[in-house]
Amino acid sequence: MTRIKIELPAVLPFTTLIPVRITDLNYGGHVGNDTVLSLIHEARMRFLHQYGYTELNFGGIGIIMSDVAIEFKIELFYGDELKASVALTEISKVSFAFYYKLEKETGKGQVAVAIARTGMVCYNYEAKKIAPVPEKIKQQFTP
């Protein structure tokens, strides 16, 4: 079986801490794969909020997720504090990508829990169609 391999950008400039709640656990007693996706969503929302954006107003346009890939590394448990690092890259005419590195503290220091990438498309929710990436966003997030 071929495994997904995500190459992270060299720099993930935004970091936030997210505690694992008891409601994040599944029947196996650890954080489930569906919850990891929710944690990625939370990290993205915090990233957007830092810049004064939302998913409905990203420089004047909405955004919608077109795809997601997650590499699961180790388990997360109740009481763990997740360090989520985020980068926005790969800006094209109508889309871009978010990259995520989720880590937790162990006796060996920070250890990767999961690495992820979400493909995002600019979307006009009123017209129900894809829209161009705003120039403001291109200028703000292009190195």
Side-chain angles (χ1 to χ4, degrees):
M1 175 177 87
T2 304
R3 291 189 40 111
I4 292 172
K5 185 67 179 162
I6 299 168
E7 294 293 327
L8 289 174
V11 177
L12 288 91
F14 175 77
T15 301
T16 187
L17 299 175
I18 305 170
V20 174
R21 306 165 306 163
I22 194 68
T23 55
D24 294 331
L25 305 184
N26 65 14
Y27 57 86
H30 58 234
V31 171
N33 56 9
D34 57 330
T35 301
V36 171
L37 183 59
S38 293
L39 291 166
I40 288 166
H41 180 65
E42 178 67 25
R44 183 176 61 254
M45 294 303 291
R46 291 181 183 193
F47 175 95
L48 292 170
H49 181 74
Q50 174 183 316
Y51 294 101
Y53 299 127
T54 68
E55 289 188 335
L56 295 177
N57 185 0
F58 187 59
I61 198 70
I63 58 175
I64 194 166
M65 187 186 306
S66 60
D67 57 63
V68 63
I70 303 172
E71 281 184 58
F72 299 100
K73 303 290 189 182
I74 63 171
E75 295 172 298
L76 269 173
F77 298 99
Y78 176 71
D80 285 339
E81 186 168 57
L82 183 69
K83 176 183 169 189
S85 301
V86 183
L88 188 159
T89 66
E90 301 176 14
I91 299 173
S92 73
K93 183 178 176 184
V94 298
S95 65
F96 57 93
F98 278 112
Y99 282 87
Y100 313 83
K101 184 176 184 183
L102 308 181
E103 302 171 284
K104 73 175 185 178
E105 184 67 35
T106 69
K108 298 176 183 178
Q110 290 287 326
V111 177
V113 172
I115 295 170
R117 179 193 179 280
T118 55
M120 307 299 289
V121 174
C122 289
Y123 190 73
N124 181 325
Y125 280 89
E126 288 180 15
K128 302 287 187 210
K129 65 180 189 174
I130 293 172
V133 175
E135 283 303 316
K136 174 182 180 179
I137 298 301
K138 289 179 184 179
Q139 292 171 5
Q140 186 172 6
F141 294 106
T142 300

